[in-house]
Coordinates of all heavy atoms in Angstrom, one line a residue:
M1 N 0.8 -1.2 0.0 CA 0.0 0.0 0.0 C 0.9 1.2 0.0 O 1.9 1.3 0.7 CB -0.9 0.0 1.2 CG -1.8 1.2 1.3 SD -2.8 1.1 2.8 CE -4.3 0.8 2.1
L2 N 0.5 2.2 -0.8 CA 1.3 3.4 -0.9 C 0.8 4.5 0.2 O -0.4 4.6 0.5 CB 1.1 4.1 -2.2 CG 1.6 3.2 -3.4 CD1 1.3 3.9 -4.7 CD2 3.1 3.0 -3.3
W3 N 1.8 5.1 0.8 CA 1.5 6.2 1.7 C 1.0 7.4 1.0 O 1.1 7.6 -0.2 CB 2.7 6.5 2.6 CG 3.1 5.4 3.5 CD1 3.9 4.4 3.2 CD2 2.6 5.1 4.8 NE1 4.0 3.5 4.2 CE2 3.2 3.9 5.2 CE3 1.6 5.7 5.6 CZ2 2.9 3.4 6.5 CZ3 1.4 5.2 6.8 CH2 2.0 4.0 7.2
D4 N 0.5 8.4 1.7 CA 0.0 9.6 1.2 C 1.2 10.3 0.4 O 2.3 10.4 0.9 CB -0.5 10.5 2.3 CG -1.2 11.8 1.8 OD1 -1.8 11.7 0.7 OD2 -1.0 12.8 2.5
R5 N 0.9 10.8 -0.7 CA 1.8 11.5 -1.6 C 2.9 10.6 -2.3 O 3.8 11.1 -2.9 CB 2.5 12.7 -0.9 CG 1.6 13.7 -0.5 CD 2.3 14.9 0.1 NE 1.3 15.9 0.6 CZ 1.7 17.0 1.2 NH1 2.9 17.2 1.4 NH2 0.8 17.8 1.6
Q6 N 2.8 9.3 -2.1 CA 3.8 8.4 -2.8 C 3.1 8.1 -4.1 O 1.9 7.9 -4.2 CB 4.0 7.2 -2.0 CG 5.1 7.3 -1.0 CD 5.4 5.9 -0.4 OE1 4.4 5.1 -0.2 NE2 6.6 5.6 -0.1
H7 N 4.0 7.9 -5.1 CA 3.6 7.5 -6.4 C 4.2 6.1 -6.7 O 5.3 5.9 -6.3 CB 4.0 8.5 -7.4 CG 3.4 9.8 -7.2 ND1 2.1 10.2 -7.4 CD2 4.0 11.0 -6.7 CE1 1.9 11.4 -7.1 NE2 3.0 11.9 -6.6
S8 N 3.5 5.3 -7.4 CA 4.1 4.1 -7.8 C 5.0 4.3 -9.0 O 5.0 5.3 -9.7 CB 3.0 3.1 -8.2 OG 2.4 3.5 -9.5
E9 N 5.9 3.4 -9.2 CA 6.9 3.5 -10.4 C 6.1 3.5 -11.7 O 6.5 4.2 -12.6 CB 7.8 2.3 -10.4 CG 8.9 2.4 -9.3 CD 9.9 1.3 -9.4 OE1 10.2 0.9 -10.5 OE2 10.4 0.9 -8.4
K10 N 5.0 2.8 -11.7 CA 4.2 2.8 -13.0 C 3.7 4.3 -13.3 O 3.8 4.7 -14.4 CB 3.0 1.9 -12.8 CG 2.1 1.8 -14.0 CD 1.0 0.8 -13.8 CE 0.1 0.7 -15.0 NZ -1.1 -0.1 -14.7
D11 N 3.3 5.0 -12.3 CA 2.8 6.4 -12.5 C 4.0 7.3 -12.9 O 3.8 8.1 -13.8 CB 2.2 7.0 -11.2 CG 0.9 6.3 -10.8 OD1 0.3 5.7 -11.7 OD2 0.6 6.3 -9.6
Q12 N 5.2 7.1 -12.4 CA 6.3 7.9 -12.7 C 6.7 7.6 -14.2 O 7.1 8.5 -14.9 CB 7.5 7.6 -11.8 CG 7.2 8.2 -10.4 CD 8.3 7.8 -9.5 OE1 9.3 7.1 -9.8 NE2 8.2 8.4 -8.2
C13 N 6.6 6.4 -14.6 CA 7.1 6.0 -16.0 C 6.1 6.7 -17.0 O 6.5 7.0 -18.1 CB 7.1 4.5 -16.2 SG 8.4 3.7 -15.3
V14 N 4.9 6.8 -16.6 CA 3.9 7.4 -17.5 C 4.2 8.9 -17.7 O 4.1 9.5 -18.8 CB 2.5 7.2 -17.1 CG1 1.5 8.0 -17.9 CG2 2.1 5.7 -17.1
T15 N 4.6 9.6 -16.6 CA 4.8 11.0 -16.6 C 6.2 11.4 -17.1 O 6.4 12.5 -17.6 CB 4.6 11.7 -15.2 OG1 5.5 11.1 -14.3 CG2 3.2 11.4 -14.8
M16 N 7.2 10.5 -17.0 CA 8.6 10.8 -17.4 C 8.9 10.0 -18.6 O 8.9 8.8 -18.6 CB 9.5 10.5 -16.3 CG 9.4 11.4 -15.1 SD 10.6 11.1 -13.8 CE 10.3 9.5 -13.4
P17 N 9.2 10.6 -19.8 CA 9.7 9.9 -20.9 C 11.0 9.2 -20.7 O 11.8 9.7 -19.9 CB 9.8 10.9 -22.0 CG 9.9 12.2 -21.3 CD 9.3 12.1 -20.0
P18 N 11.3 8.1 -21.3 CA 12.6 7.4 -21.1 C 13.7 8.3 -21.6 O 13.6 9.0 -22.6 CB 12.4 6.2 -22.0 CG 11.3 6.4 -22.9 CD 10.4 7.4 -22.3
D19 N 14.8 8.3 -20.8 CA 15.9 9.1 -21.1 C 17.0 8.2 -21.8 O 17.4 7.2 -21.2 CB 16.5 9.7 -19.9 CG 17.5 10.8 -20.1 OD1 18.1 10.8 -21.2 OD2 17.7 11.6 -19.3
L20 N 17.4 8.5 -23.0 CA 18.3 7.7 -23.8 C 19.7 7.7 -23.2 O 20.5 6.8 -23.5 CB 18.3 8.0 -25.2 CG 17.0 7.9 -25.9 CD1 17.1 8.4 -27.4 CD2 16.5 6.4 -25.9
R21 N 20.0 8.7 -22.4 CA 21.4 8.7 -21.8 C 21.6 7.7 -20.7 O 22.7 7.2 -20.5 CB 21.6 10.1 -21.2 CG 21.6 11.2 -22.2 CD 21.7 12.6 -21.5 NE 20.5 12.8 -20.8 CZ 20.2 13.9 -20.0 NH1 21.1 14.8 -20.0 NH2 19.1 14.0 -19.4
F22 N 20.5 7.2 -20.1 CA 20.6 6.2 -19.0 C 21.1 4.9 -19.5 O 22.0 4.4 -18.9 CB 19.3 6.1 -18.3 CG 18.9 7.2 -17.4 CD1 19.6 8.4 -17.4 CD2 17.7 7.2 -16.7 CE1 19.3 9.5 -16.6 CE2 17.4 8.2 -15.9 CZ 18.1 9.4 -15.8
P23 N 20.6 4.4 -20.6 CA 21.2 3.1 -21.1 C 22.7 3.2 -21.5 O 23.4 2.3 -21.3 CB 20.3 2.7 -22.3 CG 19.1 3.5 -22.1 CD 19.4 4.7 -21.4
V24 N 23.0 4.4 -22.1 CA 24.4 4.6 -22.5 C 25.3 4.6 -21.2 O 26.4 3.9 -21.2 CB 24.5 5.9 -23.3 CG1 26.0 6.3 -23.5 CG2 23.8 5.8 -24.6
L25 N 24.9 5.3 -20.2 CA 25.7 5.4 -19.0 C 25.7 4.0 -18.3 O 26.8 3.6 -17.8 CB 25.1 6.5 -18.0 CG 25.9 6.7 -16.7 CD1 27.4 7.0 -17.0 CD2 25.2 7.8 -15.9
A26 N 24.6 3.3 -18.3 CA 24.6 2.0 -17.7 C 25.6 1.0 -18.4 O 26.3 0.3 -17.8 CB 23.2 1.4 -17.7
A27 N 25.6 1.1 -19.7 CA 26.5 0.3 -20.5 C 27.9 0.6 -20.2 O 28.8 -0.3 -20.1 CB 26.2 0.4 -22.0
M28 N 28.2 1.9 -20.1 CA 29.6 2.4 -19.8 C 30.0 1.9 -18.4 O 31.1 1.4 -18.2 CB 29.7 3.9 -19.8 CG 29.6 4.4 -21.2 SD 29.8 6.2 -21.2 CE 31.6 6.3 -21.0
I29 N 29.1 1.9 -17.4 CA 29.5 1.5 -16.1 C 29.6 0.0 -16.0 O 30.5 -0.6 -15.4 CB 28.4 2.0 -15.0 CG1 28.5 3.5 -14.9 CG2 28.6 1.3 -13.7 CD1 27.5 4.2 -14.1
D30 N 28.7 -0.7 -16.7 CA 28.8 -2.2 -16.7 C 30.1 -2.7 -17.4 O 30.7 -3.7 -17.0 CB 27.6 -2.8 -17.5 CG 26.3 -2.7 -16.7 OD1 26.4 -2.5 -15.5 OD2 25.2 -2.8 -17.3
G31 N 30.6 -2.0 -18.4 CA 31.8 -2.3 -19.1 C 33.0 -1.6 -18.6 O 34.0 -1.6 -19.3
L32 N 32.9 -1.0 -17.5 CA 34.0 -0.2 -17.0 C 35.3 -1.0 -16.8 O 35.3 -2.0 -16.1 CB 33.7 0.5 -15.6 CG 34.7 1.5 -15.1 CD1 34.9 2.7 -16.0 CD2 34.3 1.9 -13.7
D33 N 36.4 -0.6 -17.4 CA 37.7 -1.3 -17.3 C 38.5 -0.4 -16.4 O 38.9 0.7 -16.9 CB 38.3 -1.5 -18.7 CG 39.6 -2.2 -18.7 OD1 40.1 -2.5 -17.6 OD2 40.2 -2.4 -19.8
L34 N 38.8 -0.8 -15.2 CA 39.5 0.0 -14.3 C 40.9 0.3 -14.8 O 41.5 1.4 -14.5 CB 39.5 -0.6 -12.9 CG 38.2 -0.6 -12.2 CD1 38.3 -1.3 -10.8 CD2 37.7 0.8 -12.0
D35 N 41.6 -0.6 -15.4 CA 42.9 -0.4 -15.9 C 42.9 0.7 -17.0 O 43.7 1.6 -16.9 CB 43.5 -1.7 -16.6 CG 44.9 -1.5 -17.0 OD1 45.7 -1.1 -16.1 OD2 45.2 -1.9 -18.1
C36 N 42.0 0.7 -17.9 CA 41.9 1.8 -18.9 C 41.5 3.1 -18.2 O 42.0 4.1 -18.6 CB 40.8 1.4 -20.0 SG 41.4 0.2 -21.1
F37 N 40.6 3.0 -17.2 CA 40.2 4.2 -16.5 C 41.4 4.9 -15.9 O 41.5 6.1 -15.9 CB 39.1 3.9 -15.5 CG 38.5 5.0 -14.8 CD1 37.6 5.8 -15.4 CD2 39.0 5.4 -13.5 CE1 37.1 6.9 -14.7 CE2 38.5 6.5 -12.8 CZ 37.5 7.3 -13.5
I38 N 42.2 4.1 -15.3 CA 43.4 4.7 -14.6 C 44.5 5.2 -15.6 O 45.0 6.2 -15.4 CB 44.0 3.6 -13.6 CG1 43.0 3.4 -12.5 CG2 45.3 4.1 -13.1 CD1 43.4 2.2 -11.6
R39 N 44.7 4.4 -16.6 CA 45.8 4.7 -17.5 C 45.5 5.6 -18.7 O 46.3 6.3 -19.2 CB 46.4 3.4 -18.1 CG 47.0 2.6 -17.0 CD 47.5 1.3 -17.6 NE 47.9 0.3 -16.5 CZ 49.1 -0.1 -16.3 NH1 50.1 0.3 -17.2 NH2 49.4 -0.9 -15.4
D40 N 44.2 5.6 -19.2 CA 43.8 6.3 -20.4 C 43.0 7.5 -20.1 O 41.9 7.5 -19.7 CB 43.0 5.3 -21.3 CG 42.7 5.9 -22.6 OD1 43.2 7.0 -23.0 OD2 41.9 5.3 -23.4
P41 N 43.6 8.7 -20.3 CA 42.9 10.0 -20.0 C 41.6 10.1 -20.9 O 40.6 10.7 -20.5 CB 43.9 11.1 -20.2 CG 45.1 10.5 -20.8 CD 45.0 9.0 -20.7
G42 N 41.7 9.6 -22.1 CA 40.6 9.7 -23.0 C 39.4 8.9 -22.5 O 38.2 9.3 -22.7
Y43 N 39.6 7.8 -21.9 CA 38.6 7.0 -21.3 C 37.9 7.7 -20.2 O 36.7 7.7 -20.1 CB 39.2 5.6 -20.9 CG 38.2 4.6 -20.5 CD1 37.7 3.7 -21.5 CD2 37.8 4.4 -19.2 CE1 36.8 2.7 -21.1 CE2 36.9 3.4 -18.8 CZ 36.4 2.5 -19.8 OH 35.5 1.5 -19.5
R44 N 38.7 8.3 -19.3 CA 38.1 9.1 -18.2 C 37.4 10.3 -18.7 O 36.3 10.6 -18.2 CB 39.3 9.6 -17.3 CG 39.9 8.5 -16.5 CD 40.8 9.0 -15.4 NE 41.9 9.9 -15.9 CZ 43.1 9.5 -16.3 NH1 43.4 8.2 -16.2 NH2 44.0 10.3 -16.7
R45 N 37.9 10.9 -19.7 CA 37.2 12.1 -20.3 C 35.9 11.8 -20.9 O 34.9 12.5 -20.7 CB 38.1 12.8 -21.4 CG 37.6 14.1 -21.9 CD 38.6 14.8 -22.9 NE 39.3 13.9 -23.8 CZ 40.6 13.6 -23.6 NH1 41.3 14.1 -22.7 NH2 41.2 12.8 -24.5
Q46 N 35.8 10.6 -21.6 CA 34.5 10.2 -22.1 C 33.5 9.9 -21.0 O 32.3 10.4 -21.2 CB 34.7 8.9 -22.9 CG 33.5 8.4 -23.6 CD 33.8 7.1 -24.4 OE1 34.8 6.4 -24.2 NE2 32.8 6.7 -25.2
L47 N 33.9 9.2 -20.0 CA 33.0 9.0 -18.9 C 32.6 10.3 -18.2 O 31.4 10.5 -17.9 CB 33.6 8.0 -17.9 CG 32.7 7.7 -16.7 CD1 31.4 7.0 -17.1 CD2 33.5 6.8 -15.7
T48 N 33.5 11.2 -18.0 CA 33.2 12.5 -17.4 C 32.2 13.3 -18.3 O 31.3 14.0 -17.7 CB 34.5 13.3 -17.2 OG1 35.4 12.6 -16.4 CG2 34.2 14.7 -16.6
E49 N 32.4 13.3 -19.6 CA 31.4 14.0 -20.5 C 30.0 13.5 -20.3 O 29.1 14.2 -20.3 CB 31.9 13.9 -21.9 CG 33.1 14.8 -22.2 CD 33.7 14.5 -23.6 OE1 33.1 13.7 -24.4 OE2 34.7 15.2 -23.9
V50 N 29.9 12.2 -20.2 CA 28.5 11.6 -20.1 C 28.0 12.0 -18.7 O 26.8 12.4 -18.6 CB 28.6 10.1 -20.2 CG1 27.2 9.4 -19.9 CG2 29.0 9.7 -21.6
L51 N 28.8 11.9 -17.7 CA 28.3 12.3 -16.4 C 27.9 13.8 -16.3 O 27.0 14.2 -15.6 CB 29.3 11.9 -15.3 CG 29.5 10.4 -15.1 CD1 30.7 10.2 -14.1 CD2 28.2 9.8 -14.5
D52 N 28.7 14.6 -17.0 CA 28.4 16.1 -17.0 C 27.2 16.4 -17.7 O 26.6 17.5 -17.5 CB 29.6 16.8 -17.6 CG 30.8 16.9 -16.7 OD1 30.7 16.7 -15.5 OD2 31.9 17.2 -17.2
A53 N 26.7 15.5 -18.5 CA 25.5 15.8 -19.3 C 24.2 15.6 -18.4 O 23.1 16.0 -18.8 CB 25.4 14.9 -20.5
L54 N 24.4 15.1 -17.2 CA 23.3 14.8 -16.3 C 23.3 15.9 -15.2 O 24.3 16.2 -14.6 CB 23.4 13.4 -15.7 CG 23.3 12.2 -16.6 CD1 23.5 11.0 -15.9 CD2 21.9 12.2 -17.3
S55 N 22.1 16.4 -14.8 CA 22.0 17.2 -13.7 C 22.1 16.3 -12.4 O 22.0 15.1 -12.5 CB 20.7 18.0 -13.7 OG 19.6 17.1 -13.5
D56 N 22.2 16.9 -11.3 CA 22.2 16.2 -10.0 C 21.0 15.3 -9.8 O 21.0 14.2 -9.4 CB 22.4 17.1 -8.8 CG 23.8 17.7 -8.8 OD1 24.7 17.2 -9.4 OD2 23.9 18.7 -8.1
E57 N 19.8 15.9 -10.2 CA 18.5 15.2 -10.0 C 18.5 14.0 -11.0 O 18.0 12.9 -10.7 CB 17.4 16.1 -10.3 CG 17.2 17.2 -9.2 CD 16.2 18.2 -9.6 OE1 15.7 18.3 -10.7 OE2 15.8 19.0 -8.7
E58 N 18.9 14.2 -12.2 CA 18.9 13.2 -13.2 C 19.9 12.1 -12.8 O 19.6 10.9 -13.0 CB 19.3 13.7 -14.6 CG 18.3 14.6 -15.2 CD 18.8 15.3 -16.5 OE1 20.0 15.6 -16.6 OE2 18.0 15.5 -17.4
F59 N 21.0 12.4 -12.3 CA 22.0 11.4 -11.8 C 21.4 10.6 -10.7 O 21.5 9.4 -10.6 CB 23.3 12.0 -11.4 CG 24.3 10.9 -11.0 CD1 25.0 10.2 -12.0 CD2 24.5 10.6 -9.7 CE1 25.9 9.2 -11.6 CE2 25.4 9.6 -9.3 CZ 26.1 8.9 -10.3
D60 N 20.7 11.3 -9.7 CA 20.1 10.6 -8.6 C 19.0 9.6 -9.1 O 18.9 8.5 -8.6 CB 19.4 11.6 -7.6 CG 20.4 12.4 -6.9 OD1 21.6 11.9 -6.8 OD2 20.1 13.4 -6.3
R61 N 18.2 10.0 -10.1 CA 17.2 9.1 -10.7 C 17.9 8.0 -11.4 O 17.5 6.8 -11.3 CB 16.4 9.9 -11.7 CG 15.1 9.2 -12.1 CD 14.1 10.0 -12.9 NE 14.6 10.2 -14.2 CZ 14.5 11.3 -14.9 NH1 13.9 12.3 -14.4 NH2 15.0 11.3 -16.1
F62 N 19.0 8.2 -12.2 CA 19.7 7.1 -12.8 C 20.3 6.2 -11.8 O 20.2 4.9 -11.9 CB 20.9 7.7 -13.6 CG 21.9 6.6 -14.0 CD1 21.6 5.7 -15.0 CD2 23.1 6.5 -13.3 CE1 22.5 4.7 -15.4 CE2 24.0 5.5 -13.7 CZ 23.7 4.6 -14.7
E63 N 20.9 6.7 -10.7 CA 21.4 5.8 -9.7 C 20.4 4.9 -9.1 O 20.6 3.7 -8.8 CB 22.1 6.7 -8.6 CG 22.8 5.9 -7.5 CD 23.4 6.8 -6.5 OE1 22.9 8.0 -6.2 OE2 24.3 6.4 -5.8
L64 N 19.2 5.5 -8.8 CA 18.1 4.7 -8.3 C 17.7 3.6 -9.2 O 17.5 2.4 -8.9 CB 16.9 5.6 -8.0 CG 15.7 5.0 -7.3 CD1 16.0 4.5 -5.9 CD2 14.6 6.0 -7.3
L65 N 17.5 3.9 -10.5 CA 17.2 2.9 -11.5 C 18.3 1.9 -11.7 O 18.0 0.7 -11.9 CB 16.9 3.6 -12.9 CG 15.6 4.5 -12.9 CD1 15.5 5.2 -14.2 CD2 14.4 3.7 -12.7
Y66 N 19.5 2.3 -11.7 CA 20.6 1.4 -11.9 C 20.8 0.4 -10.7 O 21.0 -0.8 -11.0 CB 21.9 2.2 -12.0 CG 23.1 1.3 -12.4 CD1 23.3 0.9 -13.7 CD2 24.0 0.9 -11.4 CE1 24.4 0.1 -14.0 CE2 25.1 0.1 -11.7 CZ 25.3 -0.2 -13.1 OH 26.4 -1.0 -13.4
T67 N 20.6 0.9 -9.5 CA 20.8 0.0 -8.4 C 19.6 -0.9 -8.2 O 19.7 -2.0 -7.6 CB 21.0 0.8 -7.1 OG1 19.9 1.7 -6.9 CG2 22.3 1.5 -7.1
R68 N 18.4 -0.6 -8.8 CA 17.2 -1.5 -8.7 C 17.3 -2.6 -9.7 O 16.4 -3.5 -9.7 CB 16.0 -0.7 -8.9 CG 15.6 0.2 -7.7 CD 14.3 0.8 -7.9 NE 14.0 1.6 -6.7 CZ 12.9 2.3 -6.6 NH1 12.1 2.4 -7.6 NH2 12.6 3.0 -5.5
R69 N 18.2 -2.6 -10.6 CA 18.3 -3.6 -11.7 C 18.7 -5.0 -11.0 O 18.3 -6.0 -11.6 CB 19.4 -3.3 -12.7 CG 19.1 -2.1 -13.5 CD 20.1 -1.9 -14.6 NE 21.4 -2.2 -14.2 CZ 22.4 -2.4 -15.1 NH1 22.2 -2.5 -16.3 NH2 23.6 -2.7 -14.6
F70 N 19.4 -5.0 -9.9 CA 19.8 -6.2 -9.3 C 19.1 -6.5 -8.0 O 18.9 -5.6 -7.2 CB 21.3 -6.1 -9.0 CG 22.1 -5.7 -10.2 CD1 22.7 -4.5 -10.3 CD2 22.4 -6.6 -11.2 CE1 23.4 -4.1 -11.5 CE2 23.1 -6.3 -12.4 CZ 23.6 -5.0 -12.5
T71 N 18.7 -7.7 -7.9 CA 17.9 -8.1 -6.7 C 18.9 -8.8 -5.7 O 19.6 -9.7 -6.1 CB 16.8 -9.1 -7.0 OG1 16.0 -8.5 -8.0 CG2 16.0 -9.5 -5.8
L72 N 18.9 -8.3 -4.5 CA 19.8 -8.9 -3.5 C 18.9 -9.7 -2.5 O 17.9 -9.2 -2.1 CB 20.5 -7.8 -2.7 CG 21.5 -7.0 -3.5 CD1 22.1 -5.9 -2.6 CD2 22.6 -7.8 -4.1
N73 N 19.3 -10.9 -2.2 CA 18.6 -11.8 -1.3 C 19.3 -11.8 0.1 O 20.4 -11.7 0.2 CB 18.4 -13.2 -1.8 CG 17.5 -13.2 -3.0 OD1 16.6 -12.4 -3.1 ND2 17.7 -14.1 -3.9

C-alpha cells in the first residue's frame, strides 16, 4: 500500500519519458575497465562528459534505476 503523496513506479514512468542517456551510462558502467580508466585519459574524459550531461537530479534518478536492476537476497 502506498502512503500519502507516494507514487508508484508505474505512475512515474507514464509522466517521465525514457531518457536515452541512461542506457548509455549503464552500459559504460557495466563495461568499466579500471585499468583503462586509470591509464587512459581519453577513457576518463569520455565517462566525465557523459556524467556532466546529467544534472544532479537526473543522476540521482539514474542511480536509483541502476541499483534497482539487481535483486539482493
Side-chain angles (χ1 to χ4, degrees):
M1 176 181 253
L2 297 174
W3 291 92
D4 189 32
R5 296 186 183 176
Q6 273 187 324
H7 301 285
S8 69
E9 286 184 34
K10 183 178 177 185
D11 294 338
Q12 290 177 355
C13 291
V14 171
T15 59
M16 294 184 299
D19 194 338
L20 298 177
R21 295 173 294 180
F22 288 4
V24 171
L25 183 55
M28 288 182 77
I29 291 173
D30 288 343
L32 185 65
D33 181 0
L34 291 178
D35 186 50
C36 286
F37 183 78
I38 292 170
R39 296 175 189 246
D40 184 8
Y43 192 85
R44 288 191 303 271
R45 186 173 39 253
Q46 183 181 13
L47 182 59
T48 301
E49 287 173 0
V50 173
L51 291 173
D52 285 344
L54 298 174
S55 69
D56 290 340
E57 293 171 351
E58 290 171 329
F59 183 79
D60 290 343
R61 194 169 76 217
F62 165 76
E63 183 180 28
L64 183 66
L65 293 172
Y66 185 80
T67 56
R68 285 186 178 176
R69 295 186 319 160
F70 305 107
T71 303
L72 298 176
N73 290 330

